[in-house]
């Protein structure tokens, strides 16, 4: 099991570890900006807000860079700062709780419906036909429909392929919480994807309407 | 399907997510793999779920940051002592 990143505490003890030669903040930031922007875009759902959030996180990270332990996971460290920015923004906006009809998603949701709608359910990459028809934009739309705690975990998992441990570190929650939210979030995402596919006419709204 | 078969399928299915994320112990991974070798039904379901997960990961990684974002952000960072 991978070790938890240890780079996040801005303590004097952490700073003392910074004796080895290190990459500049600018170089490290340049290496993660695509990741950061992609995650921010999924969090905020808006390009201008995503740019502002990456800017805010970059400034915070730059100021805290002395606390970053050279040689550890800069990407996870930066995503933690970015995620904190997002949650701070959400707190400022006093967001209302989101109710969702995705809670009761049964297992194998897309598998079952794909079979009914005439999409492949077997072969080397059976979901590819449906996902190709959906396309990235609609997949993003489906993720955006998830309740926030699931959307955030799924964003970190799907976009960045972060380990459970790294996600737990970014979100400051137990690994078990990441696991349960991720497993549940993936089920909800399947229903959400199918809803988007129905709304956009990619699949029929009833099992009898086969895929075009 | 015998009762024993169904029990194996249920046990395997309960571990679906952890199996796909390779979060099981090596022994458990092997047990599931063995079950998938003999149970075409479960193999089909596991294969489909893996295809969904991998497909989503591949498609969701296609986000580019605006070309000027890096330079814009770096130009707004305060200068540090000892850094140009």
């Amino acid at each position: 099991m991978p070790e938890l990143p240890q780079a996040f505490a801005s303590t004097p003890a952490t700073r003392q570890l910074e004796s080895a030669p290190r990459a500049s903040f600018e170089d490290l930031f340049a290496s993660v900006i695509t990741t950061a922007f992609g995650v921010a875009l999924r969090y905020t759902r808006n390009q201008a807000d995503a740019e502002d959030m990456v800017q805010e996180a970059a400034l915070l990270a730059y100021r805290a860079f002395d606390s970053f332990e050279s040689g550890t996971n800069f990407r996870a460290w930066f995503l933690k700062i970015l995620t904190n920015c997002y949650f701070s923004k959400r707190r400022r906006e006093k967001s209302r709780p989101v109710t969702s009809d995705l809670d009761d998603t049964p297992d194998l949701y897309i598998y079952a419906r794909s079979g009914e709608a005439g999409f492949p359910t077997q072969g080397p990459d059976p979901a590819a036909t449906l996902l190709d028809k959906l396309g990235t934009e609609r997949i993003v739309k489906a993720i955006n429909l998830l309740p926030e705690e699931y959307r955030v975990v799924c964003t970190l998992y799907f976009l960045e392929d972060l380990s459970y441990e790294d996600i737990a570190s970014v979100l400051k929650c137990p690994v078990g919480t990441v696991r349960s939210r991720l497993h549940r979030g993936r089920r909800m995402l399947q229903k959400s994807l199918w809803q988007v596919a129905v709304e956009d006419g990619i699949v029929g709204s009833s099992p009898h309407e086969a895929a075009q | 399907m015998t009762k024993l078969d169904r029990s194996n399928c249920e046990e395997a299915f309960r571990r679906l997510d952890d199996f796909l994320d390779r979060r099981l112990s090596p022994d458990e991974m092997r047990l599931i793999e063995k079950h998938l070798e003999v149970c075409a039904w479960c193999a089909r379901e596991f294969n489909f779920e893996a295809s969904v997960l991998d497909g989503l990961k591949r498609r969701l990684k296609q986000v580019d940051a605006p070309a000027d974002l890096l330079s814009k952000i770096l130009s707004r960072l305060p200068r540090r002592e000892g850094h140009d």
Side-chain angles (χ1 to χ4, degrees):
Chain A
M1 189 175 290
E3 289 181 10
L4 280 168
Q6 296 295 313
F8 305 125
S10 57
T11 62
T14 305
R15 291 194 192 98
Q16 283 177 4
L17 296 173
E18 296 181 64
S19 53
R22 51 187 296 167
S24 69
F25 174 82
E26 288 78 2
D27 287 345
L28 288 167
F29 177 63
S31 73
V32 302
I33 189 167
T34 302
T35 291
F37 178 74
V39 170
L41 189 60
R42 302 295 179 252
Y43 283 171
T44 63
R45 312 174 200 189
N46 172 293
Q47 173 148 342
D49 288 346
E51 290 188 23
D52 288 347
M53 187 169 289
V54 175
Q55 163 84 57
E56 183 186 349
L59 186 57
L60 290 171
Y62 182 76
R63 287 178 176 151
F65 191 52
D66 285 347
S67 68
F68 172 69
E69 187 181 335
S70 184
T72 58
N73 188 342
F74 182 82
R75 185 178 66 150
W77 184 75
F78 190 83
L79 287 179
K80 184 173 186 176
I81 293 171
L82 183 79
T83 302
N84 283 340
C85 288
Y86 172 65
F87 284 131
S88 298
K89 183 172 183 288
R90 295 288 290 170
R91 277 194 297 274
R92 286 196 297 272
E93 292 171 352
K94 293 183 178 164
S95 61
R96 55 187 158 69
V98 177
T99 54
S100 173
D101 67 340
L102 303 172
D103 281 339
D104 58 347
T105 306
D107 296 325
L108 299 169
Y109 193 87
I110 290 182
Y111 175 80
R113 273 142 199 86
S114 286
E116 293 166 354
F119 281 97
T121 56
Q122 52 189 324
D125 190 7
T129 306
L130 174 65
L131 295 179
D132 283 343
K133 276 182 177 270
L134 277 165
T136 301
E137 203 172 310
R138 290 194 189 90
I139 293 171
V140 168
K141 186 176 166 187
I143 286 198
N144 286 343
L145 293 173
L146 300 182
E148 180 168 281
E149 66 262 43
Y150 300 99
R151 183 163 60 88
V152 167
V153 171
C154 284
T155 294
L156 294 170
Y157 175 81
F158 283 113
L159 259 77
E160 292 315 314
D161 215 3
L162 290 184
S163 69
Y164 288 19
E165 284 75 13
D166 279 348
I167 296 174
S169 179
V170 167
L171 299 179
K172 291 185 271 190
C173 68
V175 173
T177 303
V178 170
R179 177 179 174 275
S180 60
R181 281 187 195 169
L182 186 55
H183 292 184
R184 197 165 166 209
R186 294 202 302 222
R187 274 162 186 70
M188 295 168 112
L189 178 58
Q190 291 209 2
K191 187 172 184 181
S192 173
L193 283 164
W194 196 261
Q195 286 177 347
V196 169
V198 170
E199 281 168 16
D200 288 3
I202 292 168
V203 297
S205 55
S206 80
H208 308 295
E209 296 176 53
Q212 298 297 307
Chain B
M1 183 180 286
T2 67
K3 190 177 178 185
L4 182 61
D5 285 339
R6 195 175 66 214
S7 165
N8 285 343
C9 291
E10 285 171 3
E11 285 295 307
F13 191 77
R14 206 161 53 80
R15 292 172 172 79
L16 169 67
D17 287 304
D18 287 327
F19 178 81
L20 295 177
D21 285 339
R22 308 197 66 78
R23 303 284 305 181
L24 299 174
S25 69
D27 284 348
E28 280 184 305
M29 291 295 289
R30 270 193 296 277
L31 274 176
I32 302 295
E33 284 161 1
K34 276 188 168 182
H35 177 71
L36 297 181
E37 283 169 15
V38 298
C39 178
W41 194 257
C42 280
R44 194 166 149 175
E45 292 173 350
F46 273 57
N47 180 49
F48 189 87
E49 293 301 296
S51 168
V52 171
L53 275 192
D54 292 344
L56 289 174
K57 283 182 183 175
R58 279 199 307 275
R59 286 162 181 83
L60 284 169
K61 282 183 178 163
Q62 301 164 352
V63 179
D64 289 323
D68 61 344
L69 185 61
L70 178 63
S71 57
K72 204 160 74 179
I73 289 175
L74 291 182
S75 71
R76 288 178 188 167
L77 293 179
R79 289 190 167 228
R80 272 200 254 213
E81 286 180 24
H83 290 71
D84 293 322

